[in-house]
Amino acid sequence: MRRQSYVFTSESVSEGHPDKVADRISDTVVDAFLGEDPVARVACETLVTTQRIILAGEVRTTDDKIKRIIDGLEDKVRAAVKDIGYHQKGFHWATAHYECHLHPQSVDIAVGVDASSNKDEGAGDQGIMFGYATNETPELMPATLQYSHNILKLLAEARRSGAEPKLEPDAKSQVTLQYENGKPVRALEIVLSTQHAEGLTPADVAAIVKPYILKVLPAGFVDDKTVFHINPTGNFVIGGPDGDTGLTGRKIIVDTYGGAAPHGGGAFSGKDPTKVDRSAAYACRYLAKNVVAAGLADQCTIQISYAIGVSRPLSFYVDLHGSDRIDPAKLEKALPEMMGGCTPRAIREHLKLNRPIYARTAAYGHFGRTPDADGGFSWEKTDLADQLRGLA
């Protein structure tokens, strides 16, 4: 059984962090292809560094669409960087050198994964995926991670609106909470490092950001013993891809559960939804969230596994962390059936994943978000909760 009294920490990074810039660009590519062809295949990696943006990977759709989409990618990529807020000498949306090395998908992968007359669509790779939910926040996410995300989102909104013009896009947060009886009760340590305009001291930065931090944390969580570390190394003027190279898929714990739950190891960004690294992880979160939303457990972890080219999952595991109000074995049988056996095709169709909805996922976590009217974050719905209550 999980300890009831402990200290736990999670971190987040902003949309302007170099790795998140790379994720945003890679998912912009995914959206560009799915917007033209809902069954396009994409596996895109991005590298960003000082005044340089480099794309590489595999794609598949019709030849004429590949050329047309790739020809239009540069404008979309630059628009994404502009939207994040990079117009600095060391990394500027309009003047950074751009290279695209996308090429057609391997025919060997296509043969193994595609549906045919005698088999369903297979998984795009072997692997294990996890989903998790906990009732310690309204979003059914770990509090340490959710507060870390929310701090950075609030600061980004203030920067974008012009309310805080001296803040720059690159930032990281980290929240350490004290847990009693399995629930968060107070903040012990808060770390916030943010890129800023020339001339600000750490004290100046602290005066800007502390009100936003206090706005995020619940009443009573911050007291006279809470320790703040605001730009603890001093100046943070040079940042973003000019200060550190960014690569797609290097922030997978930030993307998921902040270390509070297992991770299968596969990144999400840059992958179309036939890749189970992405779609099956979304499915596991969806099912785990519905279990907790139904009141069947305080926490739920789900693991699923696949073999490349095979449609049916190899295993499906449910852990309710000792908070069971239903036999986990009953859920292990029922949950896959609620999504057509959790085959790759069934997951995509149930969650309607073949849409250009991915660039918005690239920062502030893929989970704990509000479902959008156009189908974004469909895996955050709790529309199975009533059906699950009937199993108890």
Side-chain angles (χ1 to χ4, degrees), residues 8 30 54 82 86 90 93-94 106 114 131 187 191 194 245 277 299 303 336 345 351 356 383 388:
F8 196 76
V30 173
I54 301 172
K82 181 181 182 181
Y86 277 112
W93 67 270
S106 161
D114 286 353
V191 183
T194 180
T245 299
D277 277 344
Q299 300 174 65
Q303 186 210 53
R345 182 196 297 273
L351 296 177
D383 53 342
L388 283 166

Side-chain angles (χ1 to χ4, degrees), residues 18-41:
D19 295 329
K20 284 288 141 199
V21 175
D23 285 344
R24 171 72 176 273
I25 292 170
S26 291
D27 275 337
T28 295
V29 173
V30 173
D31 284 354
F33 275 86
L34 293 181
E36 288 276 346
D37 179 0
V39 295
R41 302 291 172 84

Side-chain angles (χ1 to χ4, degrees), residues 280-350:
Y282 289 175
C284 288
R285 161 63 180 176
Y286 171 68
L287 295 173
K289 185 176 183 181
N290 274 272
V291 168
V292 174
L296 301 182
D298 296 335
Q299 300 174 65
C300 179
T301 298
I302 292 175
Q303 186 210 53
I304 196 167
S305 67
Y306 294 90
I308 188 169
V310 178
S311 62
R312 65 172 181 82
L314 307 188
S315 64
F316 190 92
Y317 167 75
V318 176
D319 183 359
L320 301 181
H321 302 272
S323 63
D324 316 25
R325 290 183 274 281
I326 189 173
D327 183 355
K330 195 171 184 179
L331 291 175
E332 288 170 350
K333 180 179 179 182
L335 289 173
E337 292 175 355
M338 292 180 178
M339 294 192 75
C342 284
T343 66
R345 182 196 297 273
I347 289 171
R348 288 190 296 104
E349 291 178 350
H350 187 100

Side-chain angles (χ1 to χ4, degrees), residues 80-379:
V81 175
K82 181 181 182 181
D83 183 61
I84 292 169
Y86 277 112
H87 45 81
Q88 302 167 358
K89 181 180 178 182
F91 192 71
H92 196 294
W93 67 270
T95 59
H97 177 72
Y98 169 86
E99 297 178 31
C100 180
H101 301 283
L102 296 171
H103 59 84
Q105 183 189 55
S106 161
V107 293
D108 291 339
I109 293 176
V111 167
V113 174
D114 286 353
S116 63
S117 59
N118 62 350
K119 81 175 187 72
D120 193 6
E121 173 187 303
D125 202 352
Q126 71 175 52
I128 58 174
M129 298 86 210
F130 289 91
Y132 177 72
T134 173
N135 63 6
E136 64 189 58
T137 63
E139 297 87 354
L140 302 186
M141 288 289 287
T144 48
L145 179 64
Q146 195 64 47
Y147 300 152
S148 295
H149 285 328
N150 290 351
I151 288 167
L152 294 178
K153 281 195 287 186
L154 205 58
L155 288 170
E157 289 166 6
R159 172 179 59 83
R160 286 167 171 273
S161 71
E164 301 296 349
K166 294 185 178 180
L167 296 182
E168 297 288 351
D170 193 0
K172 300 179 77 172
S173 63
Q174 187 169 286
V175 174
T176 300
L177 298 180
Q178 174 73 50
Y179 283 70
E180 297 291 348
N181 298 317
K183 300 297 181 183
V185 296
R186 61 181 295 264
L188 298 180
E189 311 268 348
I190 298 169
V191 183
L192 193 287
S193 296
T194 180
Q195 187 185 16
H196 58 83
E198 187 78 62
L200 294 186
T201 67
D204 295 331
V205 175
I208 292 171
V209 304
K210 270 192 176 182
Y212 295 96
I213 295 171
L214 295 175
K215 192 177 294 187
V216 165
L217 293 168
F221 268 49
V222 175
D223 57 28
D224 57 3
K225 294 182 180 179
T226 302
V227 179
F228 287 83
H229 307 270
I230 309 297
N231 280 17
T233 61
N235 282 349
F236 186 2
V237 174
I238 299 173
D242 188 29
D244 189 14
T245 299
L247 294 170
T248 303
R250 285 208 299 193
K251 289 293 178 286
I252 58 176
I253 301 303
V254 169
D255 287 343
T256 53
Y257 306 105
H263 192 292
F268 302 156
S269 291
K271 297 176 181 177
D272 74 75
T274 66
K275 278 68 171 177
V276 285
D277 277 344
R278 181 168 223 162
S279 57
Y282 289 175
C284 288
R285 161 63 180 176
Y286 171 68
L287 295 173
K289 185 176 183 181
N290 274 272
V291 168
V292 174
L296 301 182
D298 296 335
Q299 300 174 65
C300 179
T301 298
I302 292 175
Q303 186 210 53
I304 196 167
S305 67
Y306 294 90
I308 188 169
V310 178
S311 62
R312 65 172 181 82
L314 307 188
S315 64
F316 190 92
Y317 167 75
V318 176
D319 183 359
L320 301 181
H321 302 272
S323 63
D324 316 25
R325 290 183 274 281
I326 189 173
D327 183 355
K330 195 171 184 179
L331 291 175
E332 288 170 350
K333 180 179 179 182
L335 289 173
E337 292 175 355
M338 292 180 178
M339 294 192 75
C342 284
T343 66
R345 182 196 297 273
I347 289 171
R348 288 190 296 104
E349 291 178 350
H350 187 100
L351 296 177
K352 297 179 171 59
L353 297 179
N354 286 96
R355 293 182 283 190
I357 55 173
Y358 297 104
R360 71 192 75 173
T361 70
Y364 313 119
H366 292 244
F367 309 127
R369 310 287 288 273
T370 301
D372 294 326
D374 67 351
F377 301 105
S378 60
W379 50 93

